[in-house]
Amino acid sequence: ESDLRGGRRAVWAATTSPIFDDLRSILRKTVGPQSVLERLLHAVPGIERAVIYGSWARRYHGEAGPFPGDVDVMVIGDVDVARVRTAADEASAELGRDVNVTVLTRQEWGNEASGFISQVKSGPLVELGPP
């Protein structure tokens, strides 16, 4: 559906449409947090791996539940933490939702004794690759 407002076309999805779920999935994957974070983090040197975890990753993989209010991101590598946080702040502004970033070294990510890391690894992850 669409509407002309102040010389601009406003477009929104009809939730009753038979293609609504497919359209939402395509938009979530192309203009949602994954693509924004891939683009912004690509400019940060030293990242070995970056993943989205938590509620956003669970919804991405099809788990039912409320739409996530924020996005949790894990960055692994030898990086400038300030540059990663700047990228996360830019993503927050672009997405209109908080992007919470945790930065770990490869050794910290490999620490199986950490309950937090084990919990993150056991849940669904969305890999962030090059844009």
Side-chain angles (χ1 to χ4, degrees):
E1 297 184 40
S2 71
D3 192 354
L4 190 60
R5 296 179 185 174
R8 290 188 168 185
R9 173 99 24 216
V11 179
W12 63 94
T15 58
T16 57
S17 169
I19 64 167
F20 175 76
D21 288 337
D22 295 323
L23 177 61
R24 180 174 57 181
S25 178
I26 290 167
L27 289 173
R28 187 182 304 138
K29 292 172 183 169
T30 58
V31 297
Q34 184 178 9
S35 62
V36 169
L37 286 162
E38 285 174 342
R39 178 174 42 80
L40 292 171
L41 291 174
H42 182 69
V44 179
I47 295 178
E48 295 176 25
R49 185 177 184 195
V51 297
I52 298 174
Y53 67 97
S55 60
W56 196 89
R58 289 192 300 273
R59 298 309 164 270
Y60 180 88
H61 286 287
E63 184 179 304
F67 191 74
D70 62 0
V71 180
D72 298 308
V73 180
M74 183 77 63
V75 172
I76 298 104
D78 183 16
V79 299
D80 179 343
V81 175
R83 285 188 72 178
V84 173
R85 295 209 186 284
T86 297
D89 289 345
E90 290 176 23
S92 291
E94 193 169 326
L95 295 167
R97 71 186 67 246
D98 288 338
V99 173
N100 307 310
V101 65
T102 301
V103 178
L104 299 175
T105 65
R106 183 184 319 157
Q107 293 76 20
E108 290 170 325
W109 178 247
N111 180 4
E112 299 300 326
S114 167
F116 171 66
I117 294 170
S118 295
Q119 181 181 7
V120 170
K121 287 181 176 181
S122 69
L125 302 174
V126 176
E127 295 286 337
L128 299 175

